[in-house]
Amino acid sequence: MNLQEKITWMESKKSKNMDLDDYREIMDQYLPYHKKLKKIQVAGTNGKGSTCRWMALMLEELGYQVGVFTSPHLIVHNERIQINETMISDSDLERLFDQYQNIFIEHKMTMFEMDLFLAIAYFLEKRVDYAIIEVGLGGRLDATTALDYDATVLTNVGLEHTEILGDTIEKIAQEKSGIFKPGVLAVCGEDKPSAQHIIEQNIRAQRAPFYYSYLPEYKKVGKKYWINSMDGILVFDQPFYQIKNFILACDTLYHLGFRLRYNTLQNTIDRFVFSGRCMVLRKRPLLVVDGAHNLDGINALVTSLKIWQGDIYFSVLKEKDAKHMLDVLTSLQGQIHLVNFSSDRLYPLETLGFEVLSMEEMEKRLQVTNQRALVCGSLYFVGEVLKWFNSK
């Protein structure tokens, strides 16, 4: 098999993760030094990837080598495993896969379990100073929770994957706050009282040091935000919803003992780019993509934009609350088009009452239009658009 065939084989292994104790035993046996690797775990409904990115950039500004494990990828599988913004090379990914493939087969690992194993193996090999690990789904039973951490972070709780995690905020909060561990620092950005009650119950049971993250004073100046910091005014040139993720990352590192000076923070803000999130692909005419893939994400996107004079291309997976997401999108007053893309999990778009296009039809329109265009919804949809745009 070549590398792409090996990745395709990995991506076909999608099922329920194994028991966490069993996964931990495998890690202990084959990667015993994983226990010495400094790690931060990040869970939540929205903002996980951004919070990982903010923390990684801050640590890099402080001179550390930082590994980041995230999912899903947008264009290539290698994106899931990165060190200092550079994804694992094809040769390293294939070499490590070949080294451990027999273990993967013997233990019938899922793709996510294999990816996490490969990430830890790579971070240990490259001797990173810190590894930031994003939860795949939920928290309590996620494979990442089998590992040890210096800190656990919960961004927020929203209704997502209800068929697996539960159909209420309280049930989902129970699953996501399952990442907290005895005596391990926990930091949380959630502000809904119904979720906070469950989170605080779990924290008390673990007797872990716990802190909420709150927005500091800020004001909007033009299209930017001025944020008060101890050393001066930070100029924040990102969508509003990123302020919460930025502050959560700051608070986590602060409680871990890092001292973040003004230059470190401003340089981090100036460097921040997160692929697929409020990302400008073209300026004239404007083309923006955003992987707002659930109701909370769409709400955050619409709050940032307020109005959109142009086309909106949207697609969503079947387990999402598509109707309410579209209700929110209509407030932007742009013209909405739904787009079919290749996925066995695609929502039945023809039931939603809007024009439905194929990917090819959308791509043709984007090539000839003079209108502004916003592409949003499923991360997998955004990934397909990025592949098309990069191949032009």
Side-chain angles (χ1 to χ4, degrees), residues 98-297:
D98 290 344
Q99 183 177 344
Y100 295 111
Q101 184 181 14
N102 289 338
I103 297 169
F104 300 158
I105 294 172
E106 177 186 352
H107 295 283
K108 299 179 181 179
M109 286 193 185
T110 64
M111 176 191 68
F112 189 81
E113 289 165 339
M114 288 185 265
D115 282 335
L116 178 58
F117 188 103
L118 291 170
I120 297 300
Y122 185 58
F123 297 157
L124 288 171
E125 184 180 277
K126 298 299 182 181
R127 298 184 178 183
V128 300
D129 299 301
Y130 281 87
I132 300 173
I133 309 294
E134 180 186 354
V135 166
L137 191 155
R140 182 175 65 91
L141 300 177
D142 191 77
T144 60
T145 301
L147 305 179
D148 304 317
Y149 294 96
D150 293 76
T152 53
V153 181
L154 178 54
T155 60
N156 50 53
V157 176
L159 290 174
E160 184 181 40
H161 299 294
T162 54
E163 73 286 359
I164 299 172
L165 302 178
D167 57 1
T168 67
I169 288 293
E170 291 82 2
K171 290 178 181 177
I172 295 176
Q174 182 69 30
E175 290 299 313
K176 291 186 181 293
S177 59
I179 65 172
F180 300 141
K181 298 171 177 63
V184 175
L185 170 68
V187 186
C188 180
E190 178 55 63
D191 57 8
K192 292 186 286 293
S194 58
Q196 287 180 334
H197 175 68
I198 301 299
I199 291 166
E200 289 164 12
Q201 280 185 333
N202 283 343
I203 281 292
R204 284 194 294 270
Q206 299 291 359
R207 297 187 178 183
F210 176 67
Y211 302 91
Y212 280 116
S213 177
Y214 297 103
L215 283 179
E217 291 185 7
Y218 69 89
K219 67 176 180 178
K220 190 170 185 181
V221 180
K223 294 185 178 180
K224 300 181 181 181
Y225 297 91
W226 288 9
I227 303 173
N228 287 339
S229 75
M230 293 179 63
D231 300 329
I233 302 296
L234 296 169
V235 179
F236 196 88
D237 189 13
Q238 295 290 333
F240 176 77
Y241 65 82
Q242 284 292 2
I243 297 179
K244 284 189 173 182
N245 300 326
F246 169 72
I247 297 300
L248 180 58
C250 292
D251 287 343
T252 301
L253 295 183
Y254 173 81
H255 291 303
L256 279 171
F258 293 95
R259 292 298 174 260
L260 302 170
R261 304 301 183 193
Y262 176 86
N263 286 344
T264 298
L265 297 176
Q266 189 62 62
N267 289 344
T268 297
I269 293 168
D270 294 342
R271 290 176 57 198
F272 184 85
V273 176
F274 194 30
S275 185
R277 273 72 166 187
C278 223
M279 183 180 186
V280 176
L281 293 185
R282 183 179 66 202
K283 292 187 176 180
R284 293 186 181 178
L286 185 63
L287 173 58
V288 177
V289 296
D290 193 284
H293 57 281
N294 53 37
L295 184 57
D296 286 347

Side-chain angles (χ1 to χ4, degrees), residues 8-131:
T8 300
W9 177 83
M10 289 175 64
E11 291 178 348
S12 72
K13 305 300 180 183
K14 294 180 180 179
S15 61
K16 186 178 179 181
N17 287 340
M18 70 177 72
D19 181 86
L20 295 191
D21 288 338
D22 293 339
Y23 190 70
R24 173 64 183 236
E25 285 183 12
I26 295 168
M27 298 293 284
D28 287 349
Q29 181 178 354
Y30 296 103
L31 299 174
Y33 290 104
H34 77 87
K35 289 173 278 190
K36 296 185 178 181
L37 179 61
K38 292 182 178 296
K39 298 182 291 297
I40 300 170
Q41 184 185 24
V42 182
T45 299
N46 287 295
K48 297 189 300 291
S50 295
T51 301
C52 290
R53 176 75 170 152
W54 283 116
M55 278 195 286
L57 285 176
M58 290 176 200
L59 289 170
E60 288 171 30
E61 282 290 327
L62 293 172
Y64 294 102
Q65 183 168 241
V66 186
V68 178
F69 171 70
T70 60
S71 63
H73 62 275
L74 293 176
I75 300 176
V76 294
H77 202 96
N78 312 50
E79 295 169 29
R80 296 167 179 249
I81 303 171
Q82 300 191 23
I83 296 177
N84 284 22
E85 305 168 75
T86 301
M87 62 187 179
I88 187 171
S89 66
D90 285 350
S91 59
D92 281 335
L93 180 58
E94 185 166 22
R95 174 179 55 80
L96 287 170
F97 175 86
D98 290 344
Q99 183 177 344
Y100 295 111
Q101 184 181 14
N102 289 338
I103 297 169
F104 300 158
I105 294 172
E106 177 186 352
H107 295 283
K108 299 179 181 179
M109 286 193 185
T110 64
M111 176 191 68
F112 189 81
E113 289 165 339
M114 288 185 265
D115 282 335
L116 178 58
F117 188 103
L118 291 170
I120 297 300
Y122 185 58
F123 297 157
L124 288 171
E125 184 180 277
K126 298 299 182 181
R127 298 184 178 183
V128 300
D129 299 301
Y130 281 87

